[in-house]
Amino acid sequence: MLIHARNVLSPAELQRIRALLDAADWADGRITAGTQSAQVKRNQQLPETAAQIGEARAIVRAALARNAQFFSAALPREIYPPLFNRYEGGQHFGNHVDNAVRLLPDGSRHLRTDVSATLFLTEPGSYDGGELVIDDTYGEQRVKFAAGDMVVYPSTSLHRVEPVTRGARVSCFMWIQSMVREDAKRALLHEMDLAIATLRAEHGDTEAVISLTGNYHNLLRMWAEL
Ligand code: NI
């Protein structure tokens, strides 16, 4: 399941993050890559030591916390502290699958990556290339969204970022450990949640809507790992 979440950041938040990132010193993107992905990763990343990373992360975390579409699709249990990257001058990231388990930046414990997300921070017209290409169940998806929009997809997917041949592509990316590990179960719950919301809007809280809402919660109760 691939989700397009629109306007995740407000224009003011987007502007603030861009100002923070424009002032930052970037590092080689291979600092967080695994052995296979380090071979194919050519980009820049904001290091943990960057003065701007705390505020930029807080803006993204607050935006995710208020986003009902993201919650319904990802059912987040824990979000890896958001990371920021930049591609320019032909930089790209070849085909890879994200590491299944990641150590948190503070080294305290591990997080399983069930869901991946990229939040776009530069307008698509300001750079050429840089599409995020994701192998989905239904074929290859080429993603290049408006600044402030986000793509959410299963971490099990093979994906790449095409070379950026003009301008710079700046984005935020993150991994989520979900309460529901399997993509098929998350997709079913998300579709059910959307259908219930539509029914409720059209007919109000009828007996059937209340019953289906109960079914949703009982399925989530059956599948959630906390
Ligand atoms: Ni990746």
Side-chain angles (χ1 to χ4, degrees), residues 129-147:
E131 293 86 357
L132 173 61
V133 183
I134 303 167
D135 265 359
D136 190 29
T137 331
Y138 304 107
E140 208 177 74
Q141 309 282 328
R142 300 180 69 84
V143 175
K144 189 171 179 175
F145 291 159

Side-chain angles (χ1 to χ4, degrees), residues 37 93-94 96-99 116 132 153 157 159-161 173 175:
S37 56
F93 196 164
H96 66 283
V97 170
D98 294 341
N99 283 5
S116 299
L132 173 61
Y153 60 99
S157 322
H159 58 278
R160 66 177 184 273
V161 176
F173 65 101
W175 296 287

Side-chain angles (χ1 to χ4, degrees), residues 39-191:
Q39 308 297 314
V40 293
K41 187 173 184 184
R42 296 289 176 272
N43 67 0
Q44 302 155 67
Q45 192 163 307
L46 196 64
E48 285 299 320
T49 50
Q52 298 84 357
I53 202 165
E55 187 183 345
R57 277 177 168 162
I59 294 171
V60 174
R61 281 185 173 286
L64 294 179
R66 66 172 186 248
N67 193 298
Q69 185 187 10
F70 169 73
F71 185 87
S72 171
L75 294 168
R77 178 182 171 195
E78 188 168 0
I79 301 171
Y80 190 95
L83 294 166
F84 299 86
N85 64 19
R86 189 167 193 271
Y87 295 79
E88 64 182 342
Q91 289 181 322
H92 63 280
F93 196 164
N95 267 331
H96 66 283
V97 170
D98 294 341
N99 283 5
V101 172
R102 303 208 71 106
L103 185 65
L104 290 172
D106 66 4
S108 60
R109 67 210 140 79
H110 290 84
L111 177 144
R112 188 186 65 231
T113 60
D114 297 317
V115 179
S116 299
T118 294
L119 172 58
F120 291 80
L121 299 175
T122 32
E123 289 300 346
S126 68
Y127 60 97
D128 288 337
E131 293 86 357
L132 173 61
V133 183
I134 303 167
D135 265 359
D136 190 29
T137 331
Y138 304 107
E140 208 177 74
Q141 309 282 328
R142 300 180 69 84
V143 175
K144 189 171 179 175
F145 291 159
D149 285 13
M150 184 168 73
V151 61
V152 181
Y153 60 99
S155 300
T156 48
S157 322
L158 188 69
H159 58 278
R160 66 177 184 273
V161 176
E162 299 283 46
V164 172
T165 54
R166 176 186 63 91
R169 172 199 194 266
V170 179
S171 60
C172 171
F173 65 101
M174 60 224 105
W175 296 287
I176 298 108
Q177 180 164 337
S178 177
M179 293 188 278
V180 176
R181 181 178 192 152
E182 283 176 53
D183 178 52
K185 289 178 179 169
R186 280 195 311 274
L188 186 152
L189 286 167
H190 183 53
E191 284 166 18

